C-alpha cells in the first residue's frame, strides 16, 4: 500500500520549490557597468566619411563665404573706437545708424520716434577698416546677437544717463543728445534733438537688449516706463546700412563738450 503521508510531504516540497523558483525568475535583474572599453578611430582628410561630409557642406560653405565677402560699401578711412576721449568716429556712426534705421521700424510699429541712442563702447569689437566693407566687416564689429530695444524714460532718467557718461569717462556711442561738462564736472545745456531736456517728458531711448536690462551698470534703463523689442539685430542694422550707401561718412560731430 502506498504511503500517502510520505507522498504528501514530497508533493509539498515540490510545490515550495516551484514557488521559490517562480519568485526568483520574476525578480528584476539589476545590471551594473563593470568595464568600459574603447579604441581610437583615426579620421583623416582622405577618410570616406570625411570626404562625404565635406562634399555635403561644401556648397553651403561657398554660399556663406560669397555672402560674407560681397562688397557692400567703401570706407575712406579706418574708424577706430580707441581714438577719441568722449566720442569716436565709429561710435558716432553706430549710434546714428542705429537711431535712424531703428526709427524705420519703431515709427511704423508704434507711431513714435526714437529720441536718443545709447550703446556701449565695449560692444564694438573691431575697427571698421579703410577700404571695401562687407558683411564680414559687420560680423567682426558686432559678433554678438544683440537686438535693438527702445526704452521709454522720463527726463530725470536722461539726467542719470548724462551723469553716467560723465562718471564713466568712456566714449560710449551716443546720438540724438548733446551736453557740455562745466568746470565743476557737472552737465549743462543738455539738448535732446536740439531741444532743452524736460524733466517730466517721456523720451524714447534706443539701446541693445543687454544694456536695457542694466548691463554695464546702466541701471537707469531698468526704470523705464515701457520697453519695446524691435527684434532687429544691431549687426543686421549695420549690414542694411552698408547695402544702401556707397561711401561711409566719417562722422566727427561733437556730442559731449568740455569747458
Amino acid at each position: 500500500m502506498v504511503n500517502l503521508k510520505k507522498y504528501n510531504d514530497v508533493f509539498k516540497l515540490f510545490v515550495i520549490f516551484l514557488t521559490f523558483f517562480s519568485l526568483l525568475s520574476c525578480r528584476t535583474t539589476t545590471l551594473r557597468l563593470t568595464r568600459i572599453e574603447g579604441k581610437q578611430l583615426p579620421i583623416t582628410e582622405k577618410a570616406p566619411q570625411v570626404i562625404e561630409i565635406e562634399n555635403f557642406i561644401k556648397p553651403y560653405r561657398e554660399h556663406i563665404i560669397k555672402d560674407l565677402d560681397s562688397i557692400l560699401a567703401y570706407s575712406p578711412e579706418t574708424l577706430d573706437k580707441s581714438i577719441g576721449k568722449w566720442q569716436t568716429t565709429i561710435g558716432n556712426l553706430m549710434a546714428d545708424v542705429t537711431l535712424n534705421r531703428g526709427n524705420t521700424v519703431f515709427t511704423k510699429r508704434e507711431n513714435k520716434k526714437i529720441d536718443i541712442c545709447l550703446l556701449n563702447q565695449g560692444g564694438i569689437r573691431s575697427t571698421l577698416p579703410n577700404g571695401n566693407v562687407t558683411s564680414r566687416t559687420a560680423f567682426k564689429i558686432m559678433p554678438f546677437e544683440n537686438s535693438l530695444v527702445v526704452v521709454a524714460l522720463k527726463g530725470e532718467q536722461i539726467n542719470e544717463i548724462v551723469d553716467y557718461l560723465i562718471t564713466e569717462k568712456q566714449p560710449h556711442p551716443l546720438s540724438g543728445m548733446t551736453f557740455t561738462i562745466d568746470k565743476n564736472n557737472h552737465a549743462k545745456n543738455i539738448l535732446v534733438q536740439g531741444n532743452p531736456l524736460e524733466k517730466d517728458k517721456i523720451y524714447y531711448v534706443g539701446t541693445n537688449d543687454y544694456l536695457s536690462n542694466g548691463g554695464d551698470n546702466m541701471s537707469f534703463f531698468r526704470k523705464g516706463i515701457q520697453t519695446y523689442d524691435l527684434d532687429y539685430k544691431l549687426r543686421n542694422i549695420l549690414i542694411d546700412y552698408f547695402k544702401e550707401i556707397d561711401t561711409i561718412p566719417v562722422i566727427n560731430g561733437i556730442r559731449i563738450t568740455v569747458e
Side-chain angles (χ1 to χ4, degrees), residues 34-52:
T34 58
R35 184 174 60 184
I36 298 176
E37 292 183 352
K39 62 179 180 179
Q40 186 175 5
L41 299 175
I43 298 178
T44 66
E45 293 182 358
K46 295 183 179 180
Q49 300 91 336
V50 175
I51 294 174
E52 184 177 351

Side-chain angles (χ1 to χ4, degrees), residues 72-127:
L72 305 178
Y74 177 80
S75 179
E77 64 179 70
T78 297
L79 307 185
D80 192 332
K81 73 173 186 177
S82 65
I83 301 175
K85 182 176 181 180
W86 293 101
Q87 51 261 310
T88 65
T89 50
I90 192 170
N92 287 351
L93 178 74
M94 286 286 301
D96 285 359
V97 170
T98 301
L99 189 151
N100 293 329
R101 290 206 60 85
N103 266 328
T104 63
V105 177
F106 192 54
T107 301
K108 289 180 181 179
R109 188 179 298 179
E110 304 294 338
N111 197 28
K112 297 178 174 63
K113 280 194 170 292
I114 302 173
D115 299 296
I116 301 167
C117 177
L118 175 64
L119 304 173
N120 57 328
Q121 186 201 28
I124 303 173
R125 308 301 287 186
S126 177
T127 62

Side-chain angles (χ1 to χ4, degrees), residues 3-16:
N3 189 339
L4 293 177
K5 184 175 184 301
K6 184 176 180 181
Y7 175 80
N8 288 335
D9 290 342
V10 171
F11 181 75
K12 287 179 180 179
L13 287 174
F14 175 76
V15 170
I16 292 172

Side-chain angles (χ1 to χ4, degrees), residues 23-257:
L23 289 174
L24 284 178
S25 63
C26 293
R27 187 178 65 179
T28 302
T29 302
T30 302
L31 301 177
R32 290 183 174 83
L33 182 65
T34 58
R35 184 174 60 184
I36 298 176
E37 292 183 352
K39 62 179 180 179
Q40 186 175 5
L41 299 175
I43 298 178
T44 66
E45 293 182 358
K46 295 183 179 180
Q49 300 91 336
V50 175
I51 294 174
E52 184 177 351
I53 294 171
E54 173 62 25
N55 290 337
F56 179 79
I57 66 174
K58 183 179 179 180
Y60 298 97
R61 182 195 297 116
E62 290 176 348
H63 178 73
I64 291 172
I65 291 174
K66 182 179 178 181
D67 280 352
L68 286 176
D69 292 336
S70 295
I71 298 172
L72 305 178
Y74 177 80
S75 179
E77 64 179 70
T78 297
L79 307 185
D80 192 332
K81 73 173 186 177
S82 65
I83 301 175
K85 182 176 181 180
W86 293 101
Q87 51 261 310
T88 65
T89 50
I90 192 170
N92 287 351
L93 178 74
M94 286 286 301
D96 285 359
V97 170
T98 301
L99 189 151
N100 293 329
R101 290 206 60 85
N103 266 328
T104 63
V105 177
F106 192 54
T107 301
K108 289 180 181 179
R109 188 179 298 179
E110 304 294 338
N111 197 28
K112 297 178 174 63
K113 280 194 170 292
I114 302 173
D115 299 296
I116 301 167
C117 177
L118 175 64
L119 304 173
N120 57 328
Q121 186 201 28
I124 303 173
R125 308 301 287 186
S126 177
T127 62
L128 197 162
N130 169 234
N132 292 329
V133 175
T134 65
S135 293
R136 191 184 296 276
T137 308
F139 271 86
K140 288 180 178 179
I141 295 172
M142 296 294 302
F144 309 116
E145 298 300 310
N146 294 117
S147 295
L148 176 58
V149 172
V150 179
V151 184
L153 296 175
K154 287 187 176 180
E156 55 187 299
Q157 272 75 62
I158 304 303
N159 269 318
E160 291 182 36
I161 290 177
V162 172
D163 292 339
Y164 172 87
L165 292 172
I166 294 174
T167 302
E168 286 288 302
K169 293 183 174 62
Q170 292 188 39
H172 293 300
L174 178 67
S175 181
M177 179 170 68
T178 61
F179 61 89
T180 300
I181 304 173
D182 65 20
K183 295 178 180 178
N184 297 315
N185 209 37
H186 295 142
K188 68 177 186 179
N189 300 330
I190 303 174
L191 302 177
V192 178
Q193 293 296 328
N195 299 310
L197 178 67
E198 298 178 37
K199 181 180 179 182
D200 297 321
K201 183 177 178 179
I202 301 299
Y203 294 93
Y204 296 95
V205 183
T207 189
N208 65 50
D209 49 354
Y210 166 69
L211 299 178
S212 70
N213 289 314
D216 276 9
N217 297 317
M218 295 190 185
S219 57
F220 39 80
F221 280 126
R222 298 176 69 91
K223 301 176 184 179
I225 298 169
Q226 192 168 359
T227 299
Y228 307 83
D229 188 346
L230 302 192
D231 193 28
Y232 195 179
K233 295 188 187 303
L234 267 64
R235 180 175 59 243
N236 291 344
I237 288 176
L238 268 185
I239 292 173
D240 290 344
Y241 173 72
F242 293 157
K243 288 179 178 178
E244 70 178 15
I245 195 168
D246 179 73
T247 302
I248 296 172
V250 180
I251 305 172
N252 291 304
I254 305 299
R255 288 96 203 271
I256 303 173
T257 57

